[in-house]
Amino acid sequence: MSNACDAYATKLRIFSGSSHPDLAREIADYLGCPLCPSYTTRFSNDNLFVQLGESVRGKEVVIIQSFVPPVSDHLLELLMMIDAARSASAHTIHAVIPYFSYARSDKKDQPRISITARLIADLIATAGANHVMTMTLHSPQVHGFFSVPTDHLTSQPAFVNHFRTRDLSNTVIVAPDIGHAKRAARLARSLGVGVAAGDKERLSDEHVHISGIIGDISGKDVIVFDDEIATGGSVMGLIEVLRQQKARKITLACTHGVFSGQCITRFREMGDLIEEIVTTNTVPIPPEKRLPNMTVLSAAPIFGEAIRRNVTGQSVGSLFAYWPDKEGNA
Amino acid sequence: MSNACDAYATKLRIFSGSSHPDLAREIADYLGCPLCPSYTTRFSNDNLFVQLGESVRGKEVVIIQSFVPPVSDHLLELLMMIDAARSASAHTIHAVIPYFSYARSDKKDQPRISITARLIADLIATAGANHVMTMTLHSPQVHGFFSVPTDHLTSQPAFVNHFRTRDLSNTVIVAPDIGHAKRAARLARSLGVGVAAGDKERLSDEHVHISGIIGDISGKDVIVFDDEIATGGSVMGLIEVLRQQKARKITLACTHGVFSGQCITRFREMGDLIEEIVTTNTVPIPPEKRLPNMTVLSAAPIFGEAIRRNVTGQSVGSLFAYWPDKEGNA
Amino acid sequence: MSNACDAYATKLRIFSGSSHPDLAREIADYLGCPLCPSYTTRFSNDNLFVQLGESVRGKEVVIIQSFVPPVSDHLLELLMMIDAARSASAHTIHAVIPYFSYARSDKKDQPRISITARLIADLIATAGANHVMTMTLHSPQVHGFFSVPTDHLTSQPAFVNHFRTRDLSNTVIVAPDIGHAKRAARLARSLGVGVAAGDKERLSDEHVHISGIIGDISGKDVIVFDDEIATGGSVMGLIEVLRQQKARKITLACTHGVFSGQCITRFREMGDLIEEIVTTNTVPIPPEKRLPNMTVLSAAPIFGEAIRRNVTGQSVGSLFAYWPDKEGNA
Amino acid sequence: MSNACDAYATKLRIFSGSSHPDLAREIADYLGCPLCPSYTTRFSNDNLFVQLGESVRGKEVVIIQSFVPPVSDHLLELLMMIDAARSASAHTIHAVIPYFSYARSDKKDQPRISITARLIADLIATAGANHVMTMTLHSPQVHGFFSVPTDHLTSQPAFVNHFRTRDLSNTVIVAPDIGHAKRAARLARSLGVGVAAGDKERLSDEHVHISGIIGDISGKDVIVFDDEIATGGSVMGLIEVLRQQKARKITLACTHGVFSGQCITRFREMGDLIEEIVTTNTVPIPPEKRLPNMTVLSAAPIFGEAIRRNVTGQSVGSLFAYWPDKEGNA
Amino acid sequence: MSNACDAYATKLRIFSGSSHPDLAREIADYLGCPLCPSYTTRFSNDNLFVQLGESVRGKEVVIIQSFVPPVSDHLLELLMMIDAARSASAHTIHAVIPYFSYARSDKKDQPRISITARLIADLIATAGANHVMTMTLHSPQVHGFFSVPTDHLTSQPAFVNHFRTRDLSNTVIVAPDIGHAKRAARLARSLGVGVAAGDKERLSDEHVHISGIIGDISGKDVIVFDDEIATGGSVMGLIEVLRQQKARKITLACTHGVFSGQCITRFREMGDLIEEIVTTNTVPIPPEKRLPNMTVLSAAPIFGEAIRRNVTGQSVGSLFAYWPDKEGNA
Amino acid sequence: MSNACDAYATKLRIFSGSSHPDLAREIADYLGCPLCPSYTTRFSNDNLFVQLGESVRGKEVVIIQSFVPPVSDHLLELLMMIDAARSASAHTIHAVIPYFSYARSDKKDQPRISITARLIADLIATAGANHVMTMTLHSPQVHGFFSVPTDHLTSQPAFVNHFRTRDLSNTVIVAPDIGHAKRAARLARSLGVGVAAGDKERLSDEHVHISGIIGDISGKDVIVFDDEIATGGSVMGLIEVLRQQKARKITLACTHGVFSGQCITRFREMGDLIEEIVTTNTVPIPPEKRLPNMTVLSAAPIFGEAIRRNVTGQSVGSLFAYWPDKEGNA
């Protein structure tokens, strides 16, 4: 697509936080720009220290940071990089957050808790970001938590492209949770296949109970589709139920492959029971987590193109062939 | 429950906007306080004019306004009443919005639109509200749009109490839309019955297409449960499909009975096909809309008790026997 | 004047709210730019929905909306259009409000009311406008209510040009209200004629009592000059007194021709008693209100030129041959 | 009226800036409270230094400062006192500004000037004031410049009481400027007498030209009524014209007796030509300015009572027998 | 001193973050109040989750958190607890930060870095804290970074009390760094002894070079006094130089005993060379770090008393026998 | 260096406040740009009035004001000029404050005082400045008081250049106050000479007591180096002690030569005892203060170059051969 940082090269400065330098480099490559150096160290009292390695005065600054463990450090590092750029007279500061983990803390379902996704959005604005780019938030409403203009990008086209090459005649998309089934329904429509959903009850962070499948999946090739897989607990329970109900082949697909705790071990143990695991690189996936049946789609072209259009004042909306559905699920 | 505005009578001042004086009066009655007078008129250039009829200096001011048609006028009237109270040195201003209609504009599912629920939340804070009370927002995430402390109350207990007296042995709760099925699932669990959901595709504001029911409802007594019914278009389509799939009896239940356009006419025409229509009075329902098979539960005790606890510094969380579910649906 | 949207065409995007598309089109024509499409609809629950029809990323966005009935809807539509543009990463958002009706609510002349002009100014800033352009505010102090840079334009030159062609040797300008007589005094000075004023006492919105004329108008040709005529109540009373005191010919002139209620009917009934009614098109005047003795001056060139100078960084102050008087009346 | 600082003595802390300790003491006396000590000094580099002499933690702090020369020092001293109280954890900070001199800079009547009254109002809010009390602003719209709740008090009752004892059968109230004639018209109505106005054209700060009197004053006892007299330039010109037009006796009345430059000298030279000069003590009037024909009404009871009502949560609106007129002139 | 949470018990709610529950308990004990429960857990994607275990509606909430490792987690936990309290309608939120580690990042001594102490102060305000209490900030200017009222408490009295019992006739206080020698000079004056200072040049976070001692310490009993000891690198270098210059006995004293990395090991190895190590418990010091020659003074009474006075509206300034010196070093 | 205002001439507009037009002119000359006219007058009630004499719409506006006596007037004039530029739609407003006198009010060393440096920084942001440039703040932490991006420039290179030409073999730099000795230490290192410091105790603004010199200066050529000399009180006391301790030659050097009160008289009386007085022109030094042994270095090239780099988006950090030291002293 784009191959040179021509007209906007003079004003663009791309920095990477510590969380995911590979993705940052890929995005910079897409834009044909170098990644600017920055230095993050830790004082002996555990304070972080951050320095941007290149002048940003009057520049369009892009800072790329994914909220992967250690999340609190990566969040604070991002805030400090934004603050440093702001105080060094950057023209505009774009915070690119491929995986905004706190999007899951988006509601007050118990007394006296924090809607932390809103809190984090406010902190990012306080630090001085003028614009945010992120992908596939847990619920589309989280978009509204940001007070600065925000591009909520979708990984859907990448998945559509990936699955389109398969024989889908006997396929059904399954959402693990009936409460978040819209993205699955939308993917199903894009691929021209059916949809079903698990009736999930969350008992705790790691334990959920799938009491059944709403919809018919017997004898079907199933693609389980979710925004994020962490420990894989929900997915394991769902696979169990799918197998009881005679699903034929099972594929897992998710935008954010967190794969924490025993997740990869469990996936490895299931062996052939999982046809394929498809995810993107919004979260870094080290070699030791890359199972033979895993496909990692790159989110870099989507972020790169969105950045390019922002800096050159072109439509981001028209970037994608189609828009989020009526429910806003990206 | 409470029957006198004892200790806090000296500091509480309750005002009603033009939208729903009946509910305001009911809430004031619950609190044992008089409703303070206020005057709203319209200048010949269509400007609104608002005056509070009682001193609010140093007082806890409660302003009750539901976002029913004409919504823009009622919103502006609320903002003006808040501004008047603020500028007259009120101690605290509680905006009570039983039906926050714009909660439905909670995401950016098309390019270049406004996430208006967030915008309205910001306008309310700009006008000077210190606290918001509302009920059953379209999605629980909208809670996070408010920058001032907000109590998101639930009408669920009223519905549980209502349906508990029925024979529910053959009942299933049906959510019209698989994307917003959590509240229905939760009600189902409270009542110990099953759940199903429509696979709805919204074509436009008034036209939706229900492509099927996910889950089995054949021969069942169905309670269709939604947060809001406006024209009733979705519900009509759903009833059609339910009947094709041999549902036995059909009950409609919703928190916000907007019943706009041809809704009541359609309901009347369906006659016995609808066993019962159960809603609350967050939206005023005039006599001519009160069908013989309609039951209107009062939300006044819930708002009244929440106000009382706010003003006296008691827990609102413990007000309800149980809290929103893990998905935050109130 | 200007006839092509040359250098700045690439960055200017002009949108019209629903209130006054004709004026918006005239302004766009002046600038040689197309009017960008936008869509405003109403949901069945009376919520408004707004979408901008063209990408605004990095653009200078101009949104034109006059506060004419239904004022609350037009205000909210403007706020939503601003919010949509802001969230879609517009570079700058210019809110052009030819008739800012709430300028009349500019003081606290009763307890516990809202200084609504300030409230609206704050709401516009909250929604995200960076700059406001408006014309002939009821009092020049309202300019100070806006926290964003604001151009307070004047229609005075248009009136001077219009009346200059007349024989003014026997003319006196009359302000209906001695409390707002400065604009009339200034027009008088520009035209080299005398000034007088009514001693008006406002009894209610529609009813005022003119207890007399301060100054001598007997045998004179009178031009009654005011910022706004709504129902025309004040003006009718004034004409009555003018005739009692033997005024010769009577002309009415106002910037904002709201002409609400029975205004046009009354004017029509007075027939030849009113020599001419001169106004501008800050408020749309439909054909049925255009009386034979009415002249409508266009405000479009003034707004168009001010927009052009803003976008190209040229002085707006030097746009006009002379500035507001020492009292700031535009 | 009130004679002891009973119930609210424990929470009220009254401080005086350097501008007008006499008025502050009078107000404190009215409230039956001591004036708390504070120290203001100047460093050798001309920096001011301010310290409050008593703990304000959790208290209702009242800071009294009039904007008299040197105005910039008094403004900054006020801001520093507010900041000191805020940072020392005051509960509420009331800024009492008997004479808000910058109210005259309330509009933009030339290009590239500051609407300084709004700027000052914003600075006061930035420093941390929660509430403002002031008196007789140059135009009532300036009230709307304050973002914190503000009580705009009126000195009118004091003048009514003063003049009521006179024989007013042959009296007319004259406003020096037709553009600010409303306060005079209102006083006239209160006293049951007529009104007239000068047609003033301001040439510069010190020089104005009165081209005539609008209304008849021949043979009348005239009370010239204005909000503020500074050098007295306008008033001198007006008296000249009044005498030419055969006024009988001339009285001067104004809320804010600034009496700067040659003002007192001129008044003294006019001797018996001025029957009486009536003003209030919002501006300190030292003995050498107190002419034999001068009456100084005290504003202390009005401020004292307004403070008492604020702190005890009683209506300030009902404090006065009548409210500002429809034009909001206090 | 105080022994019961009498009058203010009903409105005080004290919570502890995860960083230092022992100190929180001691402070609560001082106040005679129970510590309220709160729950902090970590989701599988490393997101934190926080819940306050008791209703805070209308209450004075105190949240105690020291910025000790892991600092980023403790900071975020504090922000989330503040946000939870705010959103649950707390009346006032006091953030008590005994050790504000980021106070060291208080200036911009390299290009493109963040003045992180200011950033953190802003984040705390954004989350919703109304008041901050902290102790012995690295430089007294950091106090000015907070936009909310802040009590900057001093540990100095505790050290004075401790050393007063010694024979100080031959003692000199040594500041490790001539650039931060004021606190040492002040302690010296309080104890009636002399002062000296190291000429320190910081090479990196862990490596500093002491090029000499400014002042005479030969044959003296030396008390090295600093705000914080982390790895002890500076102190070690200083001791080396002190011994070369024939100091007699060496005592180390610091408010914040971070003692990170090899610090305790080094101190242990030095054995009798260090007479005593005196610090406070603003940072938790586990048993394994408590060397035989270490004395830990409690900061709890200082914080407890300051909280009590805040909640009861009493002077905090008078809490201490004397105030920070003219340089503001607490 | 630079000699023409080429590419950026079209967007740069430089204005001078009343405090220091000579420096402003020098800066404008450095940039090859004309100084734009502005008018500041004073009304008869002591109100200031400010008007910018040239259109600033869409321009980079630079306003140069030094906080010299009368400081309050100059501060308010700066705020009004900023406000005027903002309200006239300037693109960016750079406040250039060569001498920020209130930097000395940077801490709370007594109860109930204002940290006025922070207050002023907030006022400047409220007025509308987007960027601040200043030089050698009393303590480097004051940089963190500004919420807008701020360039804290250093005069150090000018002093290094000046002294480098001397024979420094027997020289030692002396800081008057051990608490602010870092700048002296850094200059010493740059010049390759030693450092010493006075042990100063401030008794009041004008009176300090130097109890001794920490370090050896006997027989040395001494350069006393401080950020600011006002009355010269501290310096006089220090010279006294230096002479007692047999210093050979004494030179005084300071960035900000305030030289207030009896300062110049005292210096003149000392005659040859002071070898040289070196300062910069951040504060205007009128001819009558220019002693024969005084050298005034120009700060104009430093400010000029920093402005140029800001407007053209070049690094300011690289402007100087070296950066502030680890203590941030500029």
Side-chain angles (χ1 to χ4, degrees), chain E residues 278-325:
Chain E
V278 190
T279 188
T280 80
N281 62 347
T282 58
V283 171
I285 302 181
E288 64 275 18
K289 284 189 173 178
R290 302 216 169 202
L291 299 176
N293 60 345
M294 185 182 292
T295 305
V296 180
L297 309 171
S298 179
I302 302 175
F303 280 106
E305 186 60 20
I307 292 167
R308 196 182 67 79
R309 292 180 176 222
N310 261 288
V311 176
T312 58
Q314 289 177 273
S315 170
V316 167
S318 65
L319 165 61
F320 311 105
Y322 55 103
W323 255 75
D325 62 21

Side-chain angles (χ1 to χ4, degrees), chain B residues 3-4 13 28 35 60 78 86 116 142 171 173 183 188 210 242 272 292 294 301 306:
Chain B
N3 56 5
R13 293 290 177 278
L35 204 55
E60 299 267 341
L78 174 64
R86 187 191 61 76
T116 312
V142 173
T171 299
I173 310 289
R183 270 197 196 98
I210 308 285
L242 288 171
D272 292 352
M294 187 181 293

Side-chain angles (χ1 to χ4, degrees), chain E residues 135-291:
Chain E
M135 183 172 274
T136 308
L137 295 164
H138 181 56
S139 43
Q141 286 80 8
V142 172
H143 194 158
F145 290 3
F146 290 90
S147 56
V148 296
T150 294
D151 291 323
H152 181 196
L153 304 172
T154 172
S155 60
Q156 190 108 338
F159 286 99
V160 171
N161 286 341
H162 179 77
F163 287 121
R164 196 172 269 156
T165 59
R166 283 195 187 183
D167 171 10
L168 297 166
S169 55
N170 192 38
T171 298
V172 63
I173 310 290
V174 176
D177 180 2
I178 197 174
H180 277 88
K182 272 286 151 176
R183 269 196 198 100
R186 185 176 159 230
L187 179 61
R189 248 186 293 275
S190 295
L191 296 172
V193 303
V195 65
D199 186 11
K200 181 170 87 172
E201 187 175 12
R202 182 167 292 277
L203 306 175
S204 74
D205 175 40
E206 284 212 31
H207 297 91
V208 298
H209 175 244
I210 308 285
S211 54
I213 303 289
I214 302 171
D216 183 20
I217 54 92
S218 164
K220 295 284 193 180
D221 294 342
V222 161
I223 300 174
V224 175
F225 190 58
D226 211 353
D227 58 327
E228 162 183 339
I229 296 178
T231 59
S234 308
V235 162
M236 293 296 160
L238 180 61
I239 290 174
E240 183 72 21
V241 179
L242 288 172
R243 288 171 60 199
Q244 287 163 7
Q245 301 195 4
K246 313 292 180 199
R248 209 166 67 173
K249 291 197 293 189
I250 298 175
T251 293
L252 301 183
C254 69
T255 301
H256 306 299
V258 177
F259 305 148
S260 59
Q262 296 304 306
C263 184
I264 290 297
T265 306
R266 286 169 181 168
F267 283 166
R268 190 175 280 122
E269 288 168 1
M270 299 198 79
D272 290 353
L273 290 179
I274 304 177
E275 176 93 358
E276 187 185 10
I277 300 166
V278 190
T279 188
T280 80
N281 62 347
T282 58
V283 171
I285 302 181
E288 64 275 18
K289 284 189 173 178
R290 302 216 169 202
L291 299 176

